[in-house]
Amino acid sequence: MYSIDLTGKTALITGVSNKRSIAWAIAQILHQAGARLAFTYRRERVKAKIEGLASELSGSLFLECDVQNDEQLKAVFTEIDSKFGRLDCLVHSVAFAPPAELGGLFVNTSRDGFKTALDISAYSLIPMAKHALPLMDKAGGGSLIGISYIAAERAVPAYNVMGTAKAALEQIIRQLAFELGPMNIRVNGISAGPIETVSARGVPGFTDFFSMYEQRAPLKRNVTQEEVAKSALYLLSDLGSGVTGEIIFVDSGFHIVGY
Ligand code: NAD
């Protein structure tokens, strides 16, 4: 038997906004495995909500961080260093594109919309990795994950510039994995099937994808946040010790189907 014990380890969770967030399911499973958690929230007004959600996860840290704000990003890691003294796991579960960029014609993508989507949803992993590096070094290594979607490699209606951002995110994952591997820091991605969250609802027609997965995916159903979290636990813990630069599909097998 191989048990997963993250006692004494610390994890930074970004992207929890409510109980449906994929990051919240990951936080819960890491907590159950014994990890101490730090959460970031985008705006002060959602702080109380996240604190309420995470009230049973004693000892957690809550830090404001809009990933477009370099000072806030840096301060998150300074705070984790002073409170925990190390970082073992990092979950990047943040994405955004201006609503006008989703659902219409991709040829109408604006320069500003492109910049915003790529900045928040892809670039942000780079400074996170940079600031995490010394803290993971102190811990003797670490593991980072990002959450992607099949639109990184296939054309998906309405997803538009978010697909571009996911393609960038997956490349960033590989490039970071290459660079940080010698420091025993692993970087991987999970490509999740559609799950009902605030972000998913922002893509017009996204809910139609649910029935498509039920019909076409080998498992004939959609995946849950908890299933994404289980694969996250594998990648973030010693169970995934030999895996880096990988994108794992947690999508009921939808991506292998050719019709
Ligand atoms: P969600 O809306 O719960 O999470 C997205 C998070 O991004 C929110 O917490 C939001 O506050 C945060 N965010 C947006 N802009 C930010 C900024 N500037 N600074 C800091 N945080 C910011 O939705 P989710 O579905 O849990 O999304 C998590 C990740 O999973 C995203 O990367 C998303 O693209 C990805 N994903 C989702 C699905 C799905 O169907 N839900 C499928 C594949 C991948």
Side-chain angles (χ1 to χ4, degrees):
M1 274 292 279
Y2 202 108
S3 67
I4 305 169
D5 183 6
L6 298 181
T7 307
K9 310 251 182 194
T10 64
L12 170 61
I13 316 281
T14 66
V16 176
S17 57
N18 59 43
K19 64 177 176 12
R20 287 180 182 271
S21 295
I22 292 171
W24 174 237
I26 299 174
Q28 286 176 293
I29 208 164
L30 291 178
H31 173 75
Q32 283 156 20
R36 280 178 304 175
L37 305 181
F39 292 89
T40 59
Y41 53 89
R42 186 179 175 189
R43 288 195 191 110
E44 189 61 35
R45 66 182 161 86
V46 290
K47 184 182 183 196
K49 197 169 170 185
I50 298 176
E51 281 181 336
L53 206 57
S55 58
E56 76 259 34
L57 315 186
S58 54
S60 299
L61 204 55
F62 301 92
L63 305 161
E64 184 171 8
C65 182
D66 183 323
V67 298
Q68 291 190 292
N69 183 323
D70 287 332
E71 280 171 23
Q72 284 184 358
L73 259 177
K74 192 173 175 211
V76 164
F77 293 87
T78 306
E79 195 63 23
I80 290 174
D81 194 17
S82 76
K83 287 277 162 39
F84 296 155
R86 63 186 283 162
L87 185 65
D88 301 270
C89 311
L90 190 155
V91 177
H92 179 284
S93 190
V94 167
F96 177 80
E101 306 297 344
L102 303 170
L105 292 176
F106 182 55
V107 288
N108 289 335
T109 301
S110 71
R111 198 178 296 274
D112 280 349
F114 184 96
K115 281 184 193 167
T116 302
L118 274 280
D119 186 22
I120 295 175
S121 318
Y123 171 76
S124 56
L125 180 58
I126 301 174
M128 280 187 203
K130 175 184 163 180
H131 296 308
L133 217 162
L135 295 184
M136 290 190 164
D137 204 33
K138 279 193 196 180
S143 176
L144 292 79
I145 61 164
I147 314 293
S148 191
Y149 181 58
I150 194 170
E153 51 183 76
R154 306 279 170 85
V156 172
Y159 209 74
N160 295 356
V161 73
M162 271 308 298
T164 320
K166 292 303 187 194
L169 179 71
E170 293 191 4
Q171 191 281 335
I172 289 167
I173 285 169
R174 286 186 288 274
Q175 197 69 33
L176 288 173
F178 179 76
E179 196 164 291
L180 305 184
M183 282 151 264
N184 193 31
I185 297 173
R186 298 181 294 106
V187 191
N188 292 287
I190 292 175
S191 185
I195 297 172
E196 184 113 22
T197 64
V198 171
S199 287
R201 284 191 162 273
V203 184
F206 201 71
T207 44
D208 298 342
F209 294 2
F210 295 117
S211 52
M212 199 166 67
Y213 275 65
E214 281 165 14
Q215 284 161 26
R216 295 196 194 167
L219 294 180
K220 300 289 175 217
R221 62 176 178 81
N222 284 281
V223 293
T224 63
Q225 287 89 332
E226 289 69 31
E227 287 176 309
V228 175
K230 284 191 282 181
S231 288
L233 180 61
Y234 151 68
L235 289 172
L236 291 168
S237 72
D238 193 51
L239 289 182
S241 61
V243 181
T244 196
E246 194 61 75
I247 308 294
I248 295 180
F249 280 86
V250 180
D251 69 341
S252 300
F254 181 85
H255 70 287
I256 66 155
V257 175
Y259 73 102

